[in-house]
Amino acid sequence: MRLLAAAARQPNTPHRILVNLHHLISTTTTTTTTSSAYDPTAQFLHPDHHRLLSLPASLRRGALLALARLLKTSPQCHLALHAVSPLSGSPSSTPLDARFAAASRLATLAPALRPFAAILIAALLPVASSDLLSWSSGDSASGSSRARYGALRLALHAFLAAGMAAEALDVLTRVRRSGKTPSLSALAALLRLLFRSGEVHAAWNVFEEMAARGPRPSLATFNAMILGFCHRGLVRVASGLLGIMGEFGIVPNVCSYNILIKGHCVFGWSRDAFKLFEEMHRSGCEPTVVTYNILVDVLCHEGRMPEARRLFDEMAQVGIQANTITFNVLIDGYAKTGRMDQACAAYREMKARGLVPDSCTFNIIAAGAYKFGHAAQLVHDHDMFGSHMLADGMDMLVCRLCWDCRLDDAWELLRGAIEQGAPLSVTGFNALIAAYSKEGLHEEAFELYRIMNKLGLAPSSSTFNYLIMGLCNQGRLDEAQLLLEHMVSKGYCLSTSFTICLDASFREGNAVCALKCWDDMGKLGLQPDFIAFSAYINGLCRLDYVNEAYQAFAEMTARGIVPNNFTYNSIISALCRAGNMTEALKLQQNMRQNGLVPDIYTSNILIDGLCREGKLEMVDNLLLDMCSNGLTPDTVTYNTIINAYCRAKDMNSAMNFMNKMLAAGCEPDIFTYNIWMHSLCSNHMLNQAGKVLDELVAMGCPPDSVTYNTLMDGICSDVLDRAMILTGRLIKMAFQPNTITLNVFLSHFCKQGFGKRALMWAEKLREDSFVFDDATRNIIDWARRELEDDPHANNEDIESISLL
């Protein structure tokens, strides 16, 4: 495996980044004990459970203090801990009932130890599930009603900690049957677990039972329900819960609003999200930096950068300080729209405010730099890699190496961090998984994903998105679909994942699969965002489903999602190919009315469409309109117009535009010369065509196979012997004839009645291992029939061609 080979390889010369990482690992490992990620109670668990089971950070201090006090004063604590902990020296043959009872005694010694006791029992699950259910129901637990309830409560929390929703519901039923009321904390944890497992109806039943039998739902309960429904795509139901909170005497807090605003934004209802923002103000609930981050992010995703910047500036006006996430969102918006100067300006503003960039900041800027041609500048920019190392410096180093295509070095960094026990995050793994997927190394990407799981790092939506992207790039859409179904079952955020599969299906020409993706999004309650709509419209246009694309475009605008130039250009291009220039020109005007400025791509698409229709006068008007709007015609523009005039056999106008092209400082490319040469050959101006070839060579612009084949076709149409001489000359110029050249050559022999010569040349080229295609074989059959029908052909000639 490539990862194992990389792990074994030792670099000859340590890079500066590798040296920095060594320092980072050595310093972070010495401070691990003071990190908030450290759980002191984990020492009582088996090593296999350290990363899978741990106390919430908010409960660790209380549990540790209670345990320290009781170990000094209570022999019962010593005995209970000795019986239940696998690392206390107790034999594995200790009966499970005895372990359960010992954990129950720990829980009764101090309320702060109840979560700790539940974790110790959860470490025995799922193997001991049936034994725990039996013990907690009273078959083995004895004593007062209070003791039996304590056993049920311990079992409930243990199943919750182990993520076993069905068993937790079973215990909850037994608690209700015993006449007791479960705790709010247990029910909130159960609701979260049920939503994660996709058990929406079961979660709703638990909530209804709380409202009817107690405990009365709290603000935290409502927030858990709202979050769960939003994660499952049921944003309207979540909004309804916000409306009924008042009936329970509960006032929504900023967390309630933030969850709902985020839910509306994720599913494409940004207009409703801003209505909630206004309602939040009216209710007296002040927004936080989280609220603004969500709204700035959705504006950036929809390409509404001026509005995003205004909202960003509003934060300072209302006294809310932007944080690193706020700047990351804004920088990402600029970078994805190609405004790298503004992205870098926002980065400098971030630094000026004393905020520390993180690995996400670097990834955003690096992605934009590499996409829009600023990679060289990034390579020499050491601003993020100064003498100081950031808190997530290891992630940043991995990201930097991935962007520099040094994947083996990036893996070595991660491997070294794992071996040194340095704290790791999902970000570094995601960066390397993304890089492997981009390079087509899907096996390495999935191996890294498995390593993540072994380390107890929960994969994020981005992790799966990179894996899906890698599979789609390899054309493995069925496997990508299976991974997508896994994400659905686990309750991950799915908008981006579906968009990746949708776009890949269209690129493969699989309209059925693409349309199924689109329909599945609707069935799951996912509202397409700006990117999804753009991918859908572009895919439909690519397959020439113009009417469907136009309907999707209308639906996009009706939902308040503002199309950008890419979306407009996709549908304008499809309309032009369909010959509907009137509608295409209307869309260009519509762009301007919506505040968008048609770019050079828009103009080139329209010019090409008008040229195809032969409306060359309108092309001249459009060209003037381009220049008046500050757009400079490029090589594609001139090539399109020159080609149109050449097809119309208006050589004077074509030459006129060639001169304009040169006067404007726009250098002709090989396509320009090929267009010109094709026109000269078509008009039997072969001497001029030969001069164009000489000019190309003199200018250092290497001719390509199209150039040679065009010239060959023109000369073959004139005098075949001259074509033979030209072939020798071209071969001396390092021209490598291809199958098209061969077909041109042989077909002209046949057209001029020289079938025998065609077969002789075919035989010579076959001996030279020249590749024949179906067209070549058809030409050979044509020549053979001519020879067989020739009354002057002898039997020896006919027999010699039978081997071809």
Side-chain angles (χ1 to χ4, degrees):
M1 296 299 289
R2 191 172 183 271
L3 287 179
L4 296 178
R9 184 174 61 83
Q10 295 297 325
N12 295 327
T13 305
H15 190 270
R16 181 177 62 85
I17 291 179
L18 302 181
V19 174
N20 284 344
L21 176 78
H22 176 74
H23 172 70
L24 175 69
I25 292 177
S26 61
T27 53
T28 52
T29 51
T30 58
T31 58
T32 302
T33 54
T34 62
S35 170
S36 60
Y38 176 62
D39 180 6
T41 58
Q43 62 188 295
F44 299 101
L45 297 174
H46 192 278
D48 290 345
H49 297 122
H50 282 186
R51 294 182 182 269
L52 302 176
L53 297 170
S54 64
L55 281 178
S58 58
L59 301 177
R60 290 173 193 167
R61 177 177 170 79
L64 187 63
L65 291 176
L67 195 59
R69 184 178 65 253
L70 289 169
L71 284 172
K72 294 177 182 178
T73 60
S74 173
Q76 286 187 343
C77 181
H78 277 277
L79 293 171
L81 199 57
H82 179 80
V84 73
S85 173
L87 303 183
S88 62
S90 59
S92 58
S93 58
T94 302
L96 287 172
D97 286 0
R99 295 189 183 190
F100 299 151
S104 183
R105 289 196 299 274
L106 269 180
T108 58
L109 290 173
L113 288 181
R114 288 174 186 167
F116 173 58
I119 291 289
L120 292 175
I121 296 299
L124 304 174
L125 304 177
V127 176
S129 299
S130 58
D131 298 278
L132 181 58
L133 286 171
S134 177
W135 173 81
S136 63
S137 63
D139 295 343
S140 299
S142 59
S144 63
S145 171
R146 182 177 178 182
R148 287 194 293 274
Y149 172 61
L152 286 168
R153 181 176 59 198
L154 177 65
L156 176 59
H157 281 278
F159 283 124
L160 290 172
M164 302 173 67
E167 289 79 1
L169 282 172
D170 189 348
V171 176
L172 177 62
T173 302
R174 300 181 191 204
V175 171
R176 293 285 192 192
R177 197 182 299 144
S178 70
K180 299 293 184 180
T181 302
S183 67
L184 271 171
S185 61
L187 290 172
L190 178 58
L191 288 172
R192 288 192 292 270
L193 177 59
L194 289 170
F195 277 117
R196 279 202 307 271
S197 305
E199 302 288 341
V200 177
H201 291 294
W204 181 254
N205 291 337
V206 170
F207 179 76
E208 281 189 322
E209 197 172 38
M210 288 176 70
R213 302 177 60 181
R216 200 170 173 79
S218 65
L219 177 61
T221 311
F222 270 99
N223 286 347
M225 290 291 292
I226 291 171
L227 179 63
F229 280 123
C230 284
H231 274 169
R232 305 310 300 185
L234 302 170
V235 182
R236 300 303 187 200
V237 179
S239 299
L241 282 175
L242 189 75
I244 66 170
M245 287 173 76
E247 298 178 14
F248 291 83
I250 297 171
V251 178
N253 65 356
V254 66
C255 184
S256 316
Y257 280 107
N258 285 347
I259 294 168
L260 263 180
I261 289 172
K262 178 70 173 177
H264 281 86
C265 290
V266 165
F267 293 103
W269 296 323
S270 59
R271 188 177 297 175
D272 293 332
F274 277 95
K275 287 180 182 177
L276 275 170
F277 183 56
E278 294 169 3
E279 180 186 326
M280 189 178 181
H281 277 292
R282 289 194 300 269
S283 68
C285 183
E286 293 299 325
T288 64
V289 66
V290 175
T291 320
Y292 278 97
N293 287 350
I294 295 167
L295 293 172
V296 171
D297 184 47
V298 73
L299 289 173
C300 290
H301 274 169
E302 293 180 357
R304 298 156 64 181
M305 291 310 299
E307 295 172 71
R309 182 70 210 199
R310 283 197 295 271
L311 192 61
F312 175 85
D313 293 336
E314 181 187 304
M315 293 176 66
Q317 297 168 12
V318 298
I320 295 175
Q321 295 295 320
N323 58 17
T324 301
I325 296 173
T326 323
F327 274 98
N328 283 350
V329 164
L330 189 66
I331 293 169
D332 186 50
Y334 284 131
K336 283 183 176 172
T337 53
R339 305 172 189 179
M340 289 307 299
D341 291 340
Q342 290 167 282
C344 292
Y347 171 73
R348 289 191 293 270
E349 183 182 349
M350 177 186 187
K351 297 274 288 183
R353 293 195 189 187
L355 293 171
V356 180
D358 58 12
S359 56
C360 292
T361 320
F362 174 75
N363 261 338
I364 291 163
I365 294 177
Y370 278 80
K371 183 176 181 180
F372 295 105
H374 298 268
Q377 178 184 345
L378 182 73
V379 168
H380 299 292
D381 181 9
H382 300 293
D383 188 33
M384 293 187 188
F385 296 89
S387 57
H388 66 283
M389 295 299 295
L390 307 178
D392 58 351
M394 209 279 287
D395 290 334
M396 291 186 66
L397 295 174
V398 171
C399 294
R400 176 65 182 262
L401 290 171
C402 289
W403 281 109
D404 288 343
C405 296
R406 298 172 56 191
L407 306 190
D408 289 342
D409 288 337
W411 164 239
E412 282 194 19
L413 293 186
L414 279 178
R415 182 180 61 82
I418 294 168
E419 291 176 355
Q420 294 285 342
L424 296 168
S425 76
V426 177
T427 305
F429 279 94
N430 281 354
L432 189 50
I433 287 173
Y436 281 141
S437 296
K438 183 180 176 183
E439 294 296 322
L441 305 170
H442 51 270
E443 293 296 336
E444 286 81 353
F446 275 94
E447 185 179 345
L448 203 57
Y449 165 69
R450 287 189 288 270
I451 292 172
M452 275 181 68
N453 283 325
K454 287 180 182 177
L455 293 172
L457 288 172
S460 63
S461 295
S462 296
T463 314
F464 287 109
N465 289 341
Y466 295 137
L467 293 171
I468 288 173
M469 192 180 297
L471 291 171
C472 288
N473 288 342
Q474 295 286 316
R476 298 162 63 177
L477 298 181
D478 291 339
E479 294 170 71
Q481 188 67 33
L482 290 174
L483 203 54
L484 187 60
E485 291 170 5
H486 171 74
M487 291 182 71
V488 172
S489 68
K490 295 297 181 183
Y492 282 92
C493 183
L494 297 163
S495 298
T496 304
S497 314
F498 270 103
T499 303
I500 293 169
C501 287
L502 177 78
D503 184 58
S505 299
F506 275 125
R507 280 191 281 109
E508 291 286 322
N510 192 339
V512 174
C513 184
L515 294 174
K516 182 180 181 299
C517 272
W518 186 259
D519 292 339
D520 287 345
M521 287 177 73
K523 290 175 184 176
L524 291 169
L526 294 171
Q527 297 300 316
D529 59 8
F530 159 74
I531 298 173
F533 262 113
S534 296
Y536 183 56
I537 291 169
N538 182 55
L540 290 171
C541 290
R542 193 180 293 161
L543 299 180
D544 291 327
Y545 293 128
V546 184
N547 292 334
E548 291 81 356
Y550 205 78
Q551 289 171 7
F553 181 82
E555 183 184 351
M556 181 182 185
T557 52
R559 292 191 185 190
I561 301 175
V562 181
N564 67 357
N565 281 34
F566 175 79
T567 319
Y568 272 102
N569 288 346
S570 296
I571 197 161
I572 288 173
S573 179
L575 288 168
C576 289
R577 288 197 305 272
N580 193 346
M581 290 305 303
T582 304
E583 203 63 39
L585 290 166
K586 280 183 183 177
L587 270 183
Q588 185 202 29
Q589 295 302 319
N590 184 255
M591 282 180 76
R592 291 197 172 100
Q593 291 167 7
N594 287 326
L596 293 172
V597 179
D599 54 24
I600 188 66
Y601 301 105
T602 319
S603 299
N604 285 344
I605 290 166
L606 289 169
I607 287 173
D608 182 60
L610 290 170
C611 287
R612 288 171 187 269
E613 297 281 311
K615 299 175 180 177
L616 298 180
E617 290 182 3
M618 292 183 67
V619 169
D620 292 339
N621 295 332
L622 190 57
L623 200 59
L624 291 172
D625 184 54
M626 273 180 70
C627 297
S628 64
N629 285 300
L631 291 175
T632 303
D634 61 5
T635 308
V636 175
T637 317
Y638 284 111
N639 286 350
T640 304
I641 298 172
I642 291 169
N643 188 41
Y645 277 114
C646 287
R647 284 204 310 267
K649 299 189 181 300
D650 186 349
M651 299 301 291
N652 290 330
S653 296
M655 179 61 77
N656 183 34
F657 267 97
M658 176 74 88
N659 293 332
K660 284 183 180 179
M661 182 179 187
L662 295 170
C666 185
E667 289 295 325
D669 60 8
I670 189 61
F671 297 103
T672 319
Y673 285 105
N674 286 345
I675 291 166
W676 194 243
M677 186 171 287
H678 181 269
S679 178
L680 292 171
C681 290
S682 299
N683 287 281
H684 304 289
M685 303 167 72
L686 301 178
N687 289 331
Q688 290 92 323
K691 288 178 181 178
V692 170
L693 179 64
D694 293 336
E695 183 183 341
L696 266 175
V697 175
M699 290 175 57
C701 180
D704 61 8
S705 59
V706 176
T707 317
Y708 292 127
N709 291 339
T710 302
L711 190 56
M712 285 289 298
D713 186 44
I715 293 178
C716 285
S717 301
D718 184 29
V719 181
L720 274 174
D721 289 338
R722 188 177 177 183
M724 304 284 289
I725 296 169
L726 177 66
T727 303
R729 179 186 168 197
L730 294 180
I731 290 173
K732 287 180 181 179
M733 295 170 63
F735 167 54
Q736 295 293 326
N738 59 17
T739 307
I740 296 174
T741 318
L742 169 65
N743 293 343
V744 167
F745 200 54
L746 297 181
S747 65
H748 278 288
F749 274 123
C750 293
K751 286 177 184 177
Q752 297 185 33
F754 299 121
K756 182 178 178 181
R757 291 178 69 180
L759 293 169
M760 288 172 56
W761 274 99
E763 173 64 19
K764 289 178 182 179
L765 291 168
R766 187 183 66 81
E767 291 172 357
D768 289 338
S769 301
F770 213 93
V771 178
F772 291 180
D773 63 5
D774 289 340
T776 318
R777 283 184 279 273
N778 288 337
I779 294 168
I780 291 170
D781 288 341
W782 178 11
R784 182 185 290 113
R785 287 194 300 272
E786 281 195 356
L787 188 60
E788 290 172 349
D789 294 340
D790 186 357
H792 302 293
N794 54 50
N795 293 332
E796 187 177 336
D797 291 334
I798 296 173
E799 287 177 6
S800 65
I801 63 163
S802 63
L803 298 174
L804 273 173

